[in-house]
Amino acid sequence: MDQRLSLITLGVADVPRARTFYEALGWTCDTDPAMGVAFFQLGGIVLAVWDRAQLAEDSTVVDRGGFGGVTLAYNVGSPEEVDAALAEAEAAGATIGRAGAPTFWGGYSGIFVDPDGHPWEVAHNPHWKIEPDGSVRI
Amino acid sequence: MDQRLSLITLGVADVPRARTFYEALGWTCDTDPAMGVAFFQLGGIVLAVWDRAQLAEDSTVVDRGGFGGVTLAYNVGSPEEVDAALAEAEAAGATIGRAGAPTFWGGYSGIFVDPDGHPWEVAHNPHWKIEPDGSVRI
């Protein structure tokens, strides 16, 4: 297998609501709503929101609800940008899990939790490089 | 917020075991094991494996175990490549959730589940384009 990944699907309770949340972050999606899913092109990968029960069945796993050990992260260039992104997410309807603050690994980060309980870390990692196209390099 | 994502962290029971699994897929990682985490550069994003309890605490969520509504996908160029990647994953220690087969959305896919229960769909989606660098376009 090549060292890459194509798609991340987040299971949600209500696809239109989840789509509205991510659109409220300023993201765009042109999926026909009749498809019952919404795809967001994120650089070279795709983020999808889809019915959680259907996703669990399609993924051949049992879903007992709650967190499943996956956290997404959005990296930015400075602590100030972390605070600004967390404020944008909160305005879009996210819950702030923890406000921006220095981290044990030498960066600065905070957490927002989307309306379906999916946590996102917003981070400034001074050890990683963010390219002009938004990709990150270790 | 820009329309992008930087990092996906998978919570795992045993970081060295998880690292070994992803390395057995043919992936490389140069993280110092003493860091207690392993980072894999996947194109313009990073995949990390880290202790699941620490990840839940850091992500400000309660973890009751099991699936949490997130499925990753690895897209390839043909049904034959789906079957080959599933065989590679099984040889690396994954469980096959479902073998490669035609899907309701007009493609062909199967599921493998990593040693920590994280499902990955391996898919051929004839409607999406895979660029030479491995990125996908809707």
Side-chain angles (χ1 to χ4, degrees), chain A residues 38-63:
Chain A
F39 296 111
F40 293 86
Q41 180 84 48
L42 269 56
I45 64 168
V46 176
L47 180 82
V49 294
W50 190 35
D51 178 76
R52 181 162 167 156
Q54 288 182 274
L55 178 64
E57 183 181 358
D58 196 65
S59 301
T60 71
V61 292
V62 173
D63 184 11

Side-chain angles (χ1 to χ4, degrees), chain A residues 2 6 11 59 69 71 74-75 88, chain B residues 1-2 6 11 59 69 71 74-75:
Chain A
D2 297 334
S6 311
S59 301
T71 299
Y74 175 84
N75 280 29
E88 274 192 80
Chain B
M1 285 177 62
D2 298 333
S6 311
S59 301
T71 300
Y74 175 81
N75 281 28

Side-chain angles (χ1 to χ4, degrees), chain B:
Chain B
M1 285 177 62
D2 298 333
Q3 190 157 338
R4 61 185 179 76
L5 173 157
S6 311
L7 169 69
I8 300 162
T9 303
L10 302 182
V12 301
D14 179 327
V15 171
R17 183 188 69 173
R19 176 175 177 152
T20 298
F21 170 75
Y22 286 98
E23 287 177 336
L25 294 182
W27 295 5
T28 59
C29 167
D30 63 5
T31 309
D32 178 353
M35 289 178 66
V37 62
F39 296 111
F40 293 86
Q41 181 85 47
L42 270 55
I45 65 169
V46 176
L47 180 82
V49 294
W50 190 34
D51 178 76
R52 181 161 167 157
Q54 288 182 274
L55 178 64
E57 182 181 359
D58 195 65
S59 301
T60 71
V61 292
V62 173
D63 184 10
R64 289 174 293 182
F67 177 69
V70 180
T71 300
L72 305 177
Y74 175 81
N75 281 28
V76 293
S78 69
E80 293 71 28
E81 288 174 72
V82 170
D83 294 338
L86 289 169
E88 274 192 79
E90 187 171 29
T95 302
I96 301 301
R98 57 179 166 80
T103 68
F104 69 90
W105 44 265
Y108 182 95
S109 84
I111 293 277
F112 72 81
V113 182
D114 88 358
D116 287 280
H118 297 294
W120 285 75
E121 183 174 37
V122 181
H124 170 235
N125 183 338
H127 311 298
W128 287 6
K129 180 167 188 207
I130 302 178
E131 305 285 355
D133 68 0
S135 63
V136 296
R137 302 288 159 188
I138 296 175

Side-chain angles (χ1 to χ4, degrees), chain A residues 86-98:
Chain A
L86 290 169
E88 274 192 80
E90 187 171 28
T95 302
I96 301 301
R98 57 178 166 79

Side-chain angles (χ1 to χ4, degrees), chain A residues 18-27 40 88-89 91-93, chain B residues 1:
Chain A
R19 176 175 178 153
T20 298
F21 170 74
Y22 286 98
E23 287 177 336
L25 294 181
W27 295 5
F40 293 86
E88 274 192 80
Chain B
M1 285 177 62

